[in-house]
Amino acid sequence: MSPPDPRGLGPGAVLGILGGGQLARMLALAAADLGVRVHIFAPDADSPAYEVAARHTIGAYEDEAALASFADAVDVVTYEFENVPAATAAFLAARTPLHPGARALAVTQDRLTEKRFVADLGLAVAPFESVDSLADLEKAVAKLGRPAVLKTRRFGYDGKGQVKIADGTDLAQAWDEIGHFPAILEGFVTFSREVSVVAARAADGSFAAFDVCENEHRDHILALTQVPARIGAAAADAAIEAARRIGEALGYVGVFAVEFFLVEGEGGEQVVVNEIAPRVHNSGHWTSEGAQTSQFHQHVRAVCGFPLGATARRGRVTMQNLIGDQANDWRAILAEPGTHLHLYGKREARPGRKMGHVTRVLPDRD
Amino acid sequence: MSPPDPRGLGPGAVLGILGGGQLARMLALAAADLGVRVHIFAPDADSPAYEVAARHTIGAYEDEAALASFADAVDVVTYEFENVPAATAAFLAARTPLHPGARALAVTQDRLTEKRFVADLGLAVAPFESVDSLADLEKAVAKLGRPAVLKTRRFGYDGKGQVKIADGTDLAQAWDEIGHFPAILEGFVTFSREVSVVAARAADGSFAAFDVCENEHRDHILALTQVPARIGAAAADAAIEAARRIGEALGYVGVFAVEFFLVEGEGGEQVVVNEIAPRVHNSGHWTSEGAQTSQFHQHVRAVCGFPLGATARRGRVTMQNLIGDQANDWRAILAEPGTHLHLYGKREARPGRKMGHVTRVLPDRD
């Protein structure tokens, strides 16, 4: 742990990260560039981030003795996933700075709370209804119509914990499928494409967004990001302004992502907030080579209290996820001029598992 | 030279690196991008590379038991410094592929051997004489004139182990100063600037050079690199061709650097080989943001038998070393848009110590 600097932390500071997956790994690599030491805390015996971190603690997120030692050993704590238990966050925040803070976690861990938070900011969201019972679900479907999507309020990601309510879907079965957990029903939004804004906010309120990017999902998993997105300037500005307001309202410190549906309406394009991720985000991986500062460096800067970096884009960029055995193509990818391969060091390529990604940067068309 | 690796390394391979300084650290960070695990072997209790490597062994380079365990634990060995003891290299090479190989070390560890090797290739070098005694020194000075530079044949770097022989220099004192070690006297070359070529050669003979860069030294330590270098196309081509021939003649596998003096003669510019470094090189640090593939990624690719990456430059690039307390300016550097700060995680900023570097990339003037 480094001595306190009146201006905040400096190089040599120890950054604690909850979670040891690829996002923590890429944060650790960025931290190393800035001379910041990383200490990972994660429950798994083996995790991609351990190999590039100065220290790691293997512990359960409920193990208060382990968390207390971890908090003592670091200068600031961040996390790579939004499902950090609230008690863990509170326990750590009482001992060491936690960025992003507890409010960001509380809002984004619960789809209903998040939707209400976004709607209260006056931003467009898909129509939604709270669902705590089969009766609620029936009422909600009657109100929002079909198709719609039933999602658990908590702990969903990459399409897990959700069921599409189509024309023939049996509601009791759908309710069974999500395990009778508190849920929301989201009305279907007819969108032309999905876009996201990855942005950073610093403790002093400064804000820096990367260019809006366009995302293509397959089987509920991000497959491809391209920047610039096919979006008009007004809608792009609206998306970035929405992200700025969300960051502001959360008192956010760090990098976050806001996913939007781009809807073609009579008045032109409109952005509808789909989801907020209080962390570095897969749709921001293009920034590693495609922007002046990567989202990982930016997050380390923000949570350590360093100045935010420039977010200018370096060209036309694509980021392709390598899912499961797609990573077996590594040699062909390396042989392609100008590609940037990132592998996460995972030992087993299971179907649906994110094994790595590739970015490609081409000169801007003038 | 080791033959192409029959095991056909892939991601998940373990790369052993001798040395734990900033070059090993940056190699480890690049290896992580490619899913390659790193095992550092170094004698120091604490080294910058340990923090970003999956494993490290603290051991003397003469400790054969430790070296044997290390060799067993890795798939290929490389190094970050040219002064690897020959016995260490031979011991490891008998157990696991060593890239670059023993020949590259043997040639570049001895300034006299290196100069003869370069001259034998028909490439221009500064005039030189072997010096094994004060009498030799007197004869050599009589032959080459003053000014000249007396250098130990072995173990010199960053200006260590050399004495300038100026008009009034007492030769006996100069001979004392370098400790009566076997030496060479180099005639003074009047150059307009110093340039270098950082290039890679793969086991299959493929070769890829980065653009010629221009280097400015202060107190014998690299201060600033800029690319493109101020050099004509013919001389730049000659420098790259010299590097190619050197790599070929060494049967080299990995990244290496060739430093040149740029001399303005009657027939135009000429490049005179100054020094060969059988490793990633400080004058190649600009490639991290300034080229499509960084020298660190390129070295990992080469020594693991992966395809070499594209070396195209991304713009006008400068790389400024942060020596000693220059690293204290980190906050101002981070606040400057578009800079890329790299700190090496060294705890103490001693005078003359390389603490980090900064790259800046600007669009090419068309």
Side-chain angles (χ1 to χ4, degrees), chain A residues 224-239:
Chain A
L224 189 75
T225 295
Q226 45 184 318
V227 205
R230 290 168 295 167
I231 183 174
D237 288 349

Side-chain angles (χ1 to χ4, degrees), chain A residues 118 123-124 189 191 193-198 212-215 217 231 235-244 246 256-263 270-276:
Chain A
V118 173
L123 301 170
V189 174
F191 57 87
R193 54 190 64 101
E194 293 176 275
V195 299
S196 60
V197 171
V198 177
V212 178
C213 57
E214 177 175 341
N215 304 310
H217 292 81
I231 183 174
D237 288 349
I240 287 172
E241 174 60 12
R244 196 194 61 73
I246 287 168
F256 63 105
V258 183
E259 295 183 271
F260 300 89
F261 300 122
L262 186 65
V263 175
Q270 194 201 357
V271 287
V272 174
V273 175
N274 177 24
E275 212 168 285
I276 304 169

Side-chain angles (χ1 to χ4, degrees), chain A residues 138 146 152 210 266 273 288:
Chain A
E138 285 162 351
R146 299 180 187 227
T152 55
F210 295 101
E266 290 185 6
V273 175
S288 287

Side-chain angles (χ1 to χ4, degrees), chain A residues 7 9-11 25 29 32-35 37 51-54 289 292 301 305-307 310 314 330-331 334-335 337-343 345 347, chain B residues 9-11 25 29 32-35 37 51-54 289 292 301 305-308 310 314 330-331 334-335 337-343 345 347:
Chain A
R7 294 168 306 181
L9 303 180
R25 178 178 167 104
L29 294 174
D33 270 343
L34 300 174
R37 294 169 221 285
E51 295 187 344
V52 295
E289 288 83 21
Q292 286 197 341
R301 286 171 177 244
F306 302 168
R314 283 172 165 167
W330 64 270
R331 189 175 278 274
L334 282 176
T339 58
H340 299 276
L341 176 65
H342 299 266
L343 292 175
R347 287 162 207 265
Chain B
L9 299 184
R25 178 180 167 103
L29 295 173
D33 271 343
L34 300 173
R37 292 169 223 285
E51 297 188 342
V52 295
E289 288 84 21
Q292 285 196 342
R301 285 170 176 245
F306 302 168
L308 295 184
R314 282 172 164 167
W330 62 271
R331 186 175 282 273
L334 282 176
T339 59
H340 300 276
L341 176 65
H342 299 265
L343 292 175
R347 286 162 207 265

Side-chain angles (χ1 to χ4, degrees), chain A residues 75-121:
Chain A
D75 294 302
V76 56
V77 173
T78 190
Y79 41 85
E80 63 152 6
F81 65 115
E82 57 268 53
N83 290 327
V84 175
T88 305
F91 184 88
L92 289 171
R95 283 161 181 79
T96 189
L98 175 75
H99 296 308
R103 179 156 162 69
L105 283 173
V107 167
T108 59
Q109 283 182 353
D110 184 314
R111 290 183 199 277
L112 182 63
T113 310
E114 181 176 303
K115 280 275 188 301
R116 285 175 174 159
F117 165 80
V118 173
D120 286 350
L121 288 174

Side-chain angles (χ1 to χ4, degrees), chain A residues 4-183:
Chain A
D5 179 319
R7 294 168 306 181
L9 303 180
V14 181
L15 171 62
I17 304 177
L18 299 174
Q22 66 265 23
L23 299 180
R25 178 178 167 104
M26 290 185 278
L27 284 170
L29 294 174
D33 270 343
L34 300 174
V36 169
R37 294 169 221 285
V38 166
H39 186 153
I40 302 286
F41 188 105
D44 310 289
D46 190 20
S47 274
Y50 295 166
E51 295 187 344
V52 295
R55 280 185 68 185
H56 67 270
T57 297
I58 299 174
Y61 295 123
E62 296 73 26
D63 181 343
E64 294 199 343
L67 289 171
S69 302
F70 173 67
D72 281 348
V74 304
D75 294 302
V76 56
V77 173
T78 190
Y79 41 85
E80 63 152 6
F81 65 115
E82 57 268 53
N83 290 327
V84 175
T88 305
F91 184 88
L92 289 171
R95 283 161 181 79
T96 189
L98 175 75
H99 296 308
R103 179 156 162 69
L105 283 173
V107 167
T108 59
Q109 283 182 353
D110 184 314
R111 290 183 199 277
L112 182 63
T113 310
E114 181 176 303
K115 280 275 188 301
R116 285 175 174 159
F117 165 80
V118 173
D120 286 350
L121 288 174
L123 301 170
V125 290
F128 64 95
E129 294 291 328
S130 176
V131 172
D132 289 320
S133 65
L134 178 56
D136 281 354
L137 177 58
E138 285 162 351
K139 267 186 287 187
V141 171
K143 192 162 172 190
L144 301 183
R146 299 180 187 227
V149 188
L150 180 65
K151 299 178 176 179
T152 55
R153 284 173 58 174
R154 301 175 69 87
F155 304 120
Y157 64 96
D158 284 352
K160 295 185 174 79
Q162 40 183 288
V163 182
K164 188 174 176 189
I165 308 294
D167 271 350
T169 307
D170 179 76
L171 295 187
Q173 195 181 321
W175 181 237
D176 285 349
E177 265 185 59
I178 65 153
H180 298 200
F181 284 109

Side-chain angles (χ1 to χ4, degrees), chain B residues 194-198 211-215 225-229 283-284 286:
Chain B
E194 293 175 274
V195 300
S196 60
V197 171
V198 177
D211 280 8
V212 179
C213 57
E214 177 175 339
N215 304 312
T225 295
Q226 45 186 319
V227 206
S283 75
W286 66 272

